[in-house]
Amino acid sequence: MADKVLIYSRFPRTMMARFAERFELLDTAGKPAREVFPAEELGGIRAILTGGGQPLGAEAMDQFPKLGAIICYGTGYDGVDLKAAAARNIAVGHSPGANAASVADIAMTLMLATTRRILVADQYVRSGDWAASKPSPMMRPQSGMPGRRIGIYGMGEIGRKIAARCAAFESEIGYFSRTKYDLPYQYFPTLEALADWCSVLMIAVRAGADTQHVVNADILGRLGADGYVVNISRGSVIDEKALVAALTDKTIAGAGLDVFEQEPHAPDALTALPNVVFAPHIGGHTLESHVAMQDCVLANLAAFFEGKPLPYAVKSA
């Protein structure tokens, strides 16, 4: 008899197909588990598969008295209360680095599209303004990548891949993270110092209570009128109200955003701005990344049900 796994978040069925071949899946389709399955069935659940950003705290964990593993699909796990899980002897797993290349690629895409104003240029052609030789202030020359100072906030797997890609564009690279690494990039002791130095701030830090709204009005102001911010981590890292204000009053030049505070809703105040490029949280959404993430999920679930340590365990808080 196949082991049961509760699908706690809403996922496309195609993404769950490999798991269904090995486990019996109880899919909540993103609804509260108690609304979908009877209490006696939930009482026997030992493993949960969830999206790392979806809140999963102590009260939710207590719905499953036999719960022993929470497996996050993807690298993030900010929605899981790690202290509550540890107190209940619940192992938490994720897919570290599985989508790093894909996320780094979207970071570069957003940066280039924003700094070179690709969406505005696209509309300039489509509208016929280019053919009509109609002048546009948005089409004035912009700074290129060679020599541009790129500041990376967070130097994990994704941050390092972003840095490598920026280096190929002949840019200068600096970073700030909790740890100083032996890397060929300039290290800054604070986020403030990094923002003062760079013209593009790439946010690749892991989300958590310590990074909530850490990119605020002060940090944005330090970027300056020619500065840009690109966020591919979590929407909670940026104070969105401060970002709207900075973009509206031209404190900064533009932004590229793949993540938002209240997904899937991007604030109207942001979407109305022409100097922002958006993506619907698709940083890790490539075929290769999904296969890699699924491999990690399968390895974690198999190890758990075999009574072994999770090979891709989240470090305890």
Side-chain angles (χ1 to χ4, degrees):
M1 187 175 180
D3 293 304
K4 293 183 179 180
V5 176
L6 182 78
I7 309 301
Y8 193 76
S9 300
R10 184 175 183 176
F11 293 106
R13 289 187 178 181
T14 53
M15 288 168 53
M16 299 293 102
R18 292 181 65 195
F19 310 139
E21 294 174 359
R22 187 160 181 180
F23 305 101
E24 180 182 347
L25 303 183
L26 280 66
D27 193 351
T28 66
K31 299 177 182 178
R34 290 175 176 173
E35 294 181 9
V36 183
F37 300 103
E40 55 269 22
E41 189 160 23
L42 297 180
I45 291 296
R46 298 177 57 211
I48 283 177
L49 177 59
T50 186
Q54 181 165 341
L56 208 171
E59 185 177 350
M61 295 177 196
D62 288 340
Q63 297 179 50
F64 315 102
K66 294 186 179 180
L67 185 61
I70 296 172
I71 308 301
C72 299
Y73 188 110
T75 185
Y77 50 82
D78 47 294
V80 180
D81 186 332
L82 297 182
K83 292 183 178 179
R88 291 159 177 76
N89 292 316
I90 299 172
V92 181
H94 66 144
S95 309
N99 62 7
S102 176
V103 176
D105 286 347
I106 207 72
M108 297 300 294
T109 302
L110 288 170
M111 178 176 65
L112 292 170
T114 304
T115 60
R116 296 299 301 271
R117 297 180 173 172
I118 294 300
L119 297 188
V120 174
D122 177 269
Q123 184 57 32
Y124 188 58
V125 175
R126 291 176 186 273
S127 66
D129 288 349
W130 184 41
S133 299
K134 183 177 180 180
S136 169
M138 291 294 284
M139 294 308 301
R140 66 181 183 273
Q142 304 297 309
S143 297
M145 291 300 294
R148 186 187 284 275
R149 291 179 172 180
I150 310 297
I152 302 173
Y153 176 29
M155 194 51 80
E157 291 285 340
I158 293 172
R160 294 182 190 215
K161 289 186 180 297
I162 291 174
R165 284 157 172 74
C166 289
F169 279 87
E170 303 173 47
S171 302
E172 293 185 44
I173 302 159
Y175 74 99
F176 165 68
S177 67
R178 290 179 297 179
T179 303
K180 181 180 179 180
Y181 300 99
D182 184 17
L183 294 170
Y185 314 123
Q186 185 173 352
Y187 174 77
F188 290 84
T190 66
L191 179 58
E192 288 80 5
L194 180 66
D196 285 336
W197 174 82
C198 70
S199 67
V200 177
L201 179 63
M202 291 278 207
I203 302 174
V205 71
R206 190 173 296 284
D210 58 334
T211 60
Q212 177 83 15
H213 287 184
V214 69
V215 178
N216 53 26
D218 175 60
I219 297 297
L220 294 170
R222 290 171 183 269
L223 290 174
D226 294 323
Y228 296 83
V229 62
V230 174
N231 190 9
I232 46 76
S233 61
R234 292 289 194 214
S236 62
V237 179
I238 296 183
D239 181 338
E240 280 190 352
K241 291 183 179 179
L243 178 61
V244 170
L247 290 163
T248 301
D249 63 19
K250 295 182 172 56
T251 296
I252 64 174
L257 306 172
D258 187 42
V259 290
F260 308 89
E261 284 203 74
Q262 301 294 328
E263 295 181 2
H265 305 290
D268 291 342
L270 269 179
T271 57
L273 298 172
N275 52 345
V276 189
V277 177
F278 303 96
H281 202 152
I282 57 171
H285 195 49
T286 63
L287 294 174
E288 296 85 357
S289 289
H290 281 298
V291 170
M293 289 186 286
Q294 290 164 14
D295 286 345
C296 292
V297 169
L298 286 167
N300 275 331
L301 286 172
F304 169 70
F305 285 117
E306 292 170 7
K308 301 175 182 178
L310 303 186
Y312 303 105
V314 171
K315 307 302 180 184
S316 59

